[in-house]
Every structure is written in C-alpha cells, then in structure tokens.
Amino acid sequence: MLYSKGERLHDLQINIGINTCAFYGGPAVSGGRIVINCNPFASGSYVLLKIMTPPGEKDFLHVCEIQVFVQN
C-alpha cells in the first residue's frame, strides 16, 4: 500500500527482488491510497519503486509511506 504525495507519482514500476510486480500509470492524488497486489508467489528481499522517466527528463519520487504485507 502506498500513500502518495500527489501528481508527481506516475509511471511507477514496482519490483519484488528482480521481478516486476506491477505498474502504476497514475497520476496519483495527493494523500491518496494506492493498493497494489502482486503475484502471491512473488518473493524477494526488497521492494523497488522506480519512476519510468523518458530520457532527458527528470522526475522525483515523493512517497509518504509504504506498507508491505506478506502472506505466509
């Protein structure tokens, strides 16, 4: 679950370990909650959030809070 910081959150790729879990096109709404469900069999030691910025452009990742829930 992500809590966004506004329209700057867009074109977001979410990876678990080296595998892509999901893509969020956005833009987000400030203070909005974004829930992303990954494959229940996904595994990894880290979660990577990356804005897929076109070459020559700059973007900033502004996320207030990230919560990761795991099912055993």
Coordinates of all heavy atoms in Angstrom, one line a residue:
M1 N 0.9 -1.2 0.0 CA 0.0 0.0 0.0 C 0.9 1.2 0.0 O 1.9 1.3 0.8 CB -0.9 0.0 1.2 CG -1.9 1.1 1.3 SD -3.0 1.1 2.7 CE -3.0 -0.6 3.2
L2 N 0.6 2.2 -0.9 CA 1.4 3.4 -1.0 C 0.5 4.6 -0.6 O -0.7 4.6 -0.9 CB 1.8 3.7 -2.4 CG 2.7 2.6 -3.1 CD1 2.8 2.9 -4.6 CD2 4.1 2.6 -2.5
Y3 N 1.0 5.6 0.1 CA 0.3 6.8 0.4 C 1.0 7.9 -0.5 O 2.2 8.1 -0.2 CB 0.3 7.1 1.8 CG -0.5 6.2 2.6 CD1 0.0 5.1 3.3 CD2 -1.9 6.4 2.7 CE1 -0.8 4.2 4.0 CE2 -2.7 5.5 3.4 CZ -2.1 4.4 4.0 OH -2.9 3.5 4.7
S4 N 0.3 8.4 -1.4 CA 1.0 9.3 -2.4 C 1.2 10.7 -2.0 O 0.5 11.2 -1.1 CB 0.3 9.2 -3.7 OG -1.0 9.9 -3.6
K5 N 2.1 11.4 -2.6 CA 2.3 12.8 -2.4 C 1.9 13.6 -3.6 O 2.5 14.6 -3.9 CB 3.8 13.0 -2.1 CG 4.3 14.3 -1.7 CD 3.7 14.7 -0.3 CE 4.3 16.0 0.1 NZ 3.5 16.7 1.0
G6 N 0.9 13.2 -4.3 CA 0.4 14.0 -5.4 C 0.7 13.5 -6.8 O 1.1 12.4 -7.0
E7 N 0.5 14.4 -7.8 CA 0.6 14.1 -9.2 C 2.0 13.7 -9.6 O 2.2 13.2 -10.7 CB 0.1 15.3 -10.0 CG 0.9 16.5 -10.0 CD 0.8 17.4 -8.8 OE1 -0.2 17.2 -8.0 OE2 1.6 18.3 -8.6
R8 N 3.0 13.9 -8.8 CA 4.3 13.5 -9.2 C 4.5 12.0 -9.2 O 5.5 11.5 -9.8 CB 5.4 14.1 -8.2 CG 5.5 15.6 -8.4 CD 6.7 16.1 -7.5 NE 6.9 17.5 -7.7 CZ 7.8 18.2 -7.0 NH1 8.5 17.6 -6.1 NH2 8.0 19.4 -7.3
L9 N 3.6 11.3 -8.6 CA 3.6 9.8 -8.6 C 2.9 9.3 -9.8 O 1.7 9.3 -9.9 CB 3.0 9.3 -7.3 CG 3.1 7.8 -7.1 CD1 4.6 7.3 -7.1 CD2 2.4 7.3 -5.9
H10 N 3.7 8.9 -10.8 CA 3.1 8.4 -12.1 C 4.2 7.5 -12.7 O 5.3 7.5 -12.4 CB 2.8 9.6 -13.0 CG 4.1 10.4 -13.3 ND1 4.9 10.1 -14.4 CD2 4.6 11.5 -12.7 CE1 5.9 10.9 -14.4 NE2 5.7 11.8 -13.4
D11 N 3.7 6.7 -13.7 CA 4.6 5.8 -14.4 C 5.6 5.0 -13.5 O 6.8 5.0 -13.7 CB 5.4 6.5 -15.5 CG 4.5 7.2 -16.5 OD1 3.5 6.6 -16.8 OD2 4.8 8.4 -16.8
L12 N 5.0 4.4 -12.4 CA 5.7 3.8 -11.4 C 5.8 2.3 -11.6 O 4.8 1.6 -11.7 CB 5.1 4.0 -10.0 CG 5.8 3.5 -8.8 CD1 7.1 4.2 -8.5 CD2 4.8 3.6 -7.6
Q13 N 7.0 1.7 -11.7 CA 7.2 0.3 -11.8 C 7.6 -0.2 -10.4 O 8.4 0.3 -9.7 CB 8.4 0.0 -12.7 CG 8.6 -1.5 -12.9 CD 9.7 -1.8 -13.9 OE1 9.6 -1.3 -15.0 NE2 10.7 -2.5 -13.5
I14 N 6.9 -1.3 -10.0 CA 7.1 -1.9 -8.7 C 7.7 -3.3 -8.9 O 7.2 -4.1 -9.6 CB 5.8 -2.0 -7.8 CG1 5.2 -0.6 -7.6 CG2 6.1 -2.7 -6.5 CD1 4.1 -0.3 -8.5
N15 N 8.9 -3.5 -8.3 CA 9.6 -4.8 -8.4 C 9.7 -5.4 -7.0 O 9.9 -4.7 -6.0 CB 11.0 -4.7 -8.9 CG 11.1 -4.3 -10.4 OD1 10.1 -4.0 -11.0 ND2 12.2 -4.4 -11.0
I16 N 9.6 -6.8 -7.0 CA 9.9 -7.5 -5.8 C 11.2 -8.3 -6.2 O 11.1 -9.1 -7.1 CB 8.8 -8.5 -5.4 CG1 7.6 -7.6 -5.0 CG2 9.2 -9.3 -4.2 CD1 6.4 -8.5 -4.6
G17 N 12.3 -8.0 -5.5 CA 13.5 -8.6 -5.9 C 13.8 -8.1 -7.3 O 13.8 -6.9 -7.6
I18 N 14.2 -9.0 -8.2 CA 14.5 -8.6 -9.6 C 13.2 -8.8 -10.5 O 13.3 -8.5 -11.7 CB 15.6 -9.5 -10.2 CG1 15.3 -11.0 -10.2 CG2 16.9 -9.2 -9.4 CD1 16.3 -11.8 -10.9
N19 N 12.1 -9.2 -10.0 CA 10.9 -9.4 -10.8 C 9.9 -8.3 -10.7 O 9.6 -7.8 -9.6 CB 10.2 -10.7 -10.4 CG 11.1 -11.9 -10.6 OD1 11.7 -12.1 -11.6 ND2 11.3 -12.7 -9.5
T20 N 9.4 -7.9 -11.9 CA 8.4 -6.8 -11.9 C 7.1 -7.3 -11.3 O 6.6 -8.4 -11.7 CB 8.1 -6.3 -13.3 OG1 9.4 -5.8 -13.8 CG2 7.1 -5.2 -13.3
C21 N 6.5 -6.6 -10.4 CA 5.3 -7.0 -9.7 C 4.1 -6.3 -10.4 O 3.1 -6.9 -10.7 CB 5.4 -6.6 -8.2 SG 3.8 -6.5 -7.4
A22 N 4.2 -5.0 -10.6 CA 3.1 -4.2 -11.1 C 3.6 -2.9 -11.7 O 4.8 -2.5 -11.5 CB 2.1 -3.9 -10.0
F23 N 2.7 -2.2 -12.4 CA 3.0 -0.9 -13.0 C 1.8 0.0 -12.7 O 0.6 -0.4 -12.9 CB 3.2 -1.0 -14.5 CG 3.5 0.4 -15.1 CD1 4.8 0.9 -15.1 CD2 2.5 1.1 -15.7 CE1 5.1 2.1 -15.7 CE2 2.8 2.3 -16.3 CZ 4.1 2.8 -16.3
Y24 N 2.1 1.2 -12.1 CA 1.0 2.2 -11.8 C 1.2 3.4 -12.7 O 2.2 4.1 -12.6 CB 1.1 2.6 -10.3 CG 0.1 3.7 -10.0 CD1 -1.2 3.4 -9.8 CD2 0.5 5.0 -9.8 CE1 -2.1 4.4 -9.5 CE2 -0.3 6.0 -9.5 CZ -1.7 5.7 -9.3 OH -2.6 6.6 -9.0
G25 N 0.2 3.6 -13.6 CA 0.3 4.7 -14.6 C 0.1 6.1 -14.0 O 0.8 7.0 -14.4
G26 N -0.8 6.2 -13.0 CA -1.0 7.5 -12.3 C -1.7 8.5 -13.2 O -2.2 8.1 -14.3
P27 N -1.7 9.7 -12.9 CA -1.0 10.3 -11.7 C -1.9 10.1 -10.5 O -3.1 9.8 -10.6 CB -1.0 11.8 -12.1 CG -2.1 12.0 -13.0 CD -2.3 10.8 -13.8
A28 N -1.2 10.2 -9.4 CA -1.9 9.9 -8.1 C -2.5 11.2 -7.6 O -2.3 12.3 -8.1 CB -0.8 9.5 -7.0
V29 N -3.4 11.1 -6.6 CA -4.0 12.2 -6.0 C -3.3 12.4 -4.6 O -3.0 11.5 -3.9 CB -5.5 11.9 -5.7 CG1 -6.2 13.1 -5.0 CG2 -6.2 11.7 -7.1
S30 N -3.0 13.7 -4.3 CA -2.3 14.0 -3.0 C -3.0 13.4 -1.8 O -4.2 13.6 -1.7 CB -2.1 15.5 -2.9 OG -1.1 15.7 -2.0
G31 N -2.3 12.6 -1.0 CA -2.9 11.9 0.1 C -3.7 10.7 -0.2 O -4.2 10.0 0.7
G32 N -3.7 10.3 -1.5 CA -4.4 9.1 -1.9 C -3.8 7.8 -1.5 O -2.6 7.8 -1.2
R33 N -4.5 6.8 -1.4 CA -4.0 5.5 -1.1 C -4.1 4.6 -2.3 O -5.1 4.5 -3.0 CB -4.9 4.8 0.0 CG -4.4 3.5 0.5 CD -5.2 3.0 1.6 NE -6.4 2.5 1.1 CZ -7.3 1.7 1.7 NH1 -7.0 1.3 3.0 NH2 -8.4 1.3 1.2
I34 N -3.0 4.0 -2.6 CA -2.8 3.1 -3.8 C -2.5 1.7 -3.3 O -1.5 1.5 -2.6 CB -1.7 3.6 -4.7 CG1 -2.0 5.0 -5.2 CG2 -1.6 2.7 -5.9 CD1 -0.8 5.7 -5.7
V35 N -3.4 0.8 -3.6 CA -3.2 -0.6 -3.2 C -2.8 -1.4 -4.5 O -3.5 -1.4 -5.5 CB -4.5 -1.2 -2.6 CG1 -4.3 -2.7 -2.3 CG2 -4.9 -0.4 -1.4
I36 N -1.7 -2.1 -4.4 CA -1.1 -2.9 -5.5 C -1.0 -4.4 -5.0 O -0.3 -4.6 -3.9 CB 0.2 -2.4 -6.0 CG1 0.0 -1.0 -6.5 CG2 0.8 -3.3 -7.0 CD1 1.2 -0.2 -6.9
N37 N -1.6 -5.3 -5.7 CA -1.5 -6.7 -5.3 C -0.6 -7.4 -6.3 O -0.7 -7.3 -7.5 CB -2.9 -7.4 -5.4 CG -3.8 -6.8 -4.3 OD1 -3.4 -6.8 -3.1 ND2 -5.0 -6.4 -4.7
C38 N 0.4 -8.1 -5.8 CA 1.4 -8.8 -6.6 C 1.0 -10.3 -6.6 O 0.2 -10.7 -5.8 CB 2.8 -8.6 -6.0 SG 3.4 -6.9 -6.1
N39 N 1.7 -11.0 -7.4 CA 1.6 -12.4 -7.5 C 1.8 -13.0 -6.1 O 2.8 -12.7 -5.5 CB 2.6 -13.0 -8.5 CG 2.5 -14.5 -8.7 OD1 2.1 -15.2 -7.7 ND2 2.9 -14.9 -9.8
P40 N 0.9 -13.8 -5.6 CA 1.1 -14.4 -4.2 C 2.3 -15.2 -4.1 O 2.8 -15.5 -3.0 CB -0.2 -15.2 -4.0 CG -0.8 -15.4 -5.3 CD -0.3 -14.3 -6.2
F41 N 2.9 -15.7 -5.2 CA 4.1 -16.5 -5.1 C 5.4 -15.7 -5.3 O 6.5 -16.2 -5.4 CB 4.1 -17.6 -6.2 CG 2.9 -18.5 -5.9 CD1 1.8 -18.5 -6.8 CD2 2.9 -19.4 -4.9 CE1 0.7 -19.3 -6.6 CE2 1.8 -20.3 -4.7 CZ 0.7 -20.2 -5.5
A42 N 5.3 -14.3 -5.5 CA 6.4 -13.5 -5.6 C 7.3 -13.5 -4.4 O 6.8 -13.6 -3.3 CB 6.0 -12.1 -5.9
S43 N 8.6 -13.5 -4.5 CA 9.5 -13.5 -3.4 C 10.7 -12.7 -3.7 O 11.1 -12.5 -4.8 CB 9.9 -14.9 -3.0 OG 10.7 -15.5 -4.0
G44 N 11.3 -12.1 -2.6 CA 12.5 -11.3 -2.8 C 12.8 -10.7 -1.4 O 12.0 -10.7 -0.5
S45 N 14.0 -10.1 -1.4 CA 14.5 -9.5 -0.1 C 14.2 -8.0 -0.1 O 14.4 -7.4 1.0 CB 16.0 -9.7 0.0 OG 16.2 -11.1 0.1
Y46 N 13.7 -7.4 -1.2 CA 13.5 -6.0 -1.2 C 12.3 -5.6 -2.2 O 12.0 -6.4 -3.0 CB 14.7 -5.2 -1.6 CG 15.3 -5.6 -2.9 CD1 14.9 -4.9 -4.1 CD2 16.3 -6.6 -3.0 CE1 15.4 -5.3 -5.3 CE2 16.8 -7.0 -4.2 CZ 16.4 -6.3 -5.4 OH 16.9 -6.7 -6.6
V47 N 11.8 -4.4 -2.0 CA 10.8 -3.9 -2.9 C 11.4 -2.6 -3.5 O 12.0 -1.8 -2.8 CB 9.5 -3.5 -2.2 CG1 8.5 -2.8 -3.1 CG2 8.9 -4.7 -1.5
L48 N 11.4 -2.5 -4.8 CA 11.9 -1.4 -5.6 C 10.8 -0.6 -6.3 O 10.0 -1.2 -7.0 CB 12.9 -1.9 -6.6 CG 13.5 -0.9 -7.6 CD1 14.4 0.1 -6.8 CD2 14.2 -1.6 -8.7
L49 N 10.8 0.7 -6.0 CA 9.9 1.6 -6.7 C 10.7 2.5 -7.6 O 11.7 3.1 -7.2 CB 9.1 2.5 -5.7 CG 8.4 1.8 -4.6 CD1 7.8 2.8 -3.6 CD2 7.3 0.9 -5.1
K50 N 10.3 2.5 -8.9 CA 11.1 3.3 -9.9 C 10.1 4.0 -10.8 O 9.3 3.4 -11.4 CB 12.0 2.4 -10.7 CG 12.8 3.1 -11.7 CD 13.7 2.1 -12.4 CE 14.5 2.8 -13.5 NZ 15.4 1.8 -14.2
I51 N 10.3 5.4 -10.9 CA 9.5 6.1 -11.9 C 10.2 5.9 -13.3 O 11.4 6.2 -13.4 CB 9.4 7.6 -11.6 CG1 8.6 7.8 -10.3 CG2 8.8 8.4 -12.7 CD1 8.4 9.2 -9.9
M52 N 9.5 5.5 -14.3 CA 10.0 5.2 -15.6 C 10.0 6.5 -16.4 O 9.0 6.8 -17.1 CB 9.2 4.1 -16.3 CG 9.1 2.8 -15.5 SD 10.7 2.1 -15.0 CE 11.2 1.6 -16.6
T53 N 11.0 7.4 -16.2 CA 11.1 8.7 -16.8 C 11.7 8.6 -18.2 O 12.7 7.9 -18.4 CB 12.0 9.6 -15.9 OG1 11.5 9.6 -14.6 CG2 12.1 11.0 -16.4
P54 N 11.1 9.3 -19.2 CA 11.7 9.3 -20.5 C 13.1 9.9 -20.5 O 13.4 10.8 -19.7 CB 10.7 10.2 -21.3 CG 9.4 10.2 -20.6 CD 9.8 10.0 -19.1
P55 N 14.0 9.5 -21.4 CA 15.3 10.0 -21.5 C 15.3 11.6 -21.6 O 14.4 12.1 -22.3 CB 15.9 9.4 -22.7 CG 15.1 8.2 -23.0 CD 13.7 8.5 -22.5
G56 N 16.2 12.2 -20.9 CA 16.3 13.7 -20.9 C 15.3 14.4 -20.0 O 15.4 15.6 -19.9
E57 N 14.4 13.7 -19.3 CA 13.5 14.3 -18.3 C 13.9 13.9 -16.9 O 14.6 12.9 -16.7 CB 12.1 13.9 -18.6 CG 11.5 14.4 -19.9 CD 10.0 14.1 -20.1 OE1 9.4 13.8 -19.1 OE2 9.6 14.1 -21.2
K58 N 13.5 14.8 -16.0 CA 13.8 14.5 -14.6 C 12.5 14.3 -13.8 O 11.5 15.1 -14.0 CB 14.6 15.6 -13.9 CG 16.0 15.6 -14.4 CD 16.8 16.6 -13.7 CE 18.3 16.6 -14.2 NZ 19.1 17.6 -13.4
D59 N 12.4 13.4 -12.9 CA 11.2 13.2 -12.1 C 11.7 12.9 -10.7 O 12.9 12.5 -10.5 CB 10.4 12.0 -12.5 CG 9.3 12.4 -13.6 OD1 8.7 13.4 -13.4 OD2 9.2 11.6 -14.5
F60 N 10.9 13.2 -9.7 CA 11.2 12.9 -8.3 C 10.1 12.0 -7.7 O 9.0 12.2 -8.0 CB 11.2 14.3 -7.5 CG 12.3 15.2 -8.0 CD1 11.9 16.2 -9.0 CD2 13.6 15.1 -7.6 CE1 12.9 17.0 -9.5 CE2 14.5 16.0 -8.1 CZ 14.2 16.9 -9.0
L61 N 10.6 11.1 -6.9 CA 9.7 10.1 -6.3 C 9.4 10.6 -4.9 O 10.2 10.8 -4.0 CB 10.4 8.7 -6.2 CG 9.5 7.6 -5.5 CD1 8.3 7.4 -6.3 CD2 10.4 6.3 -5.5
H62 N 8.1 11.0 -4.7 CA 7.6 11.5 -3.4 C 6.6 10.5 -2.9 O 5.4 10.6 -3.4 CB 7.0 12.9 -3.6 CG 8.0 14.0 -3.8 ND1 8.5 14.7 -2.8 CD2 8.6 14.4 -5.0 CE1 9.4 15.6 -3.3 NE2 9.4 15.4 -4.6
V63 N 6.9 9.7 -1.9 CA 6.0 8.8 -1.3 C 6.1 9.0 0.2 O 7.2 9.1 0.8 CB 6.4 7.3 -1.7 CG1 5.5 6.4 -1.0 CG2 6.3 7.1 -3.2
C64 N 4.9 9.2 0.8 CA 4.9 9.5 2.2 C 5.1 8.2 3.1 O 5.7 8.2 4.1 CB 3.6 10.1 2.6 SG 3.3 11.7 1.9
E65 N 4.5 7.1 2.6 CA 4.5 5.9 3.4 C 4.4 4.7 2.5 O 3.6 4.7 1.5 CB 3.4 5.9 4.4 CG 3.4 4.7 5.3 CD 2.3 4.8 6.4 OE1 1.7 5.9 6.6 OE2 2.0 3.8 7.0
I66 N 5.1 3.6 2.7 CA 4.9 2.4 2.0 C 4.7 1.3 3.1 O 5.5 1.2 4.0 CB 6.2 2.0 1.2 CG1 6.4 3.1 0.1 CG2 6.0 0.7 0.5 CD1 7.7 2.9 -0.6
Q67 N 3.7 0.5 2.9 CA 3.4 -0.7 3.7 C 3.5 -1.9 2.9 O 2.8 -2.0 1.8 CB 2.1 -0.6 4.4 CG 2.0 0.6 5.4 CD 0.6 0.7 6.0 OE1 -0.4 0.1 5.5 NE2 0.5 1.4 7.1
V68 N 4.2 -2.9 3.3 CA 4.3 -4.2 2.6 C 3.7 -5.3 3.5 O 4.1 -5.4 4.6 CB 5.8 -4.5 2.2 CG1 5.8 -5.9 1.5 CG2 6.4 -3.4 1.4
F69 N 2.7 -6.0 2.9 CA 2.1 -7.1 3.7 C 2.5 -8.4 3.0 O 2.4 -8.5 1.8 CB 0.6 -6.9 3.7 CG 0.1 -5.6 4.3 CD1 -0.2 -4.5 3.6 CD2 -0.1 -5.5 5.7 CE1 -0.6 -3.3 4.1 CE2 -0.5 -4.4 6.3 CZ -0.7 -3.3 5.5
V70 N 2.8 -9.4 3.8 CA 3.3 -10.6 3.4 C 2.4 -11.7 3.9 O 2.0 -11.7 5.1 CB 4.7 -10.9 3.8 CG1 5.2 -12.3 3.3 CG2 5.7 -9.8 3.3
Q71 N 2.0 -12.6 3.0 CA 1.2 -13.8 3.5 C 2.1 -15.0 3.6 O 2.9 -15.3 2.7 CB 0.1 -14.1 2.5 CG -1.0 -13.1 2.4 CD -2.0 -13.4 1.4 OE1 -1.9 -14.4 0.7 NE2 -3.1 -12.7 1.4
N72 N 2.0 -15.7 4.7 CA 2.8 -16.9 4.9 C 2.1 -18.1 4.6 O 0.9 -18.3 4.7 CB 3.4 -17.0 6.3 CG 4.4 -15.9 6.6 OD1 5.1 -15.5 5.7 ND2 4.5 -15.4 7.8

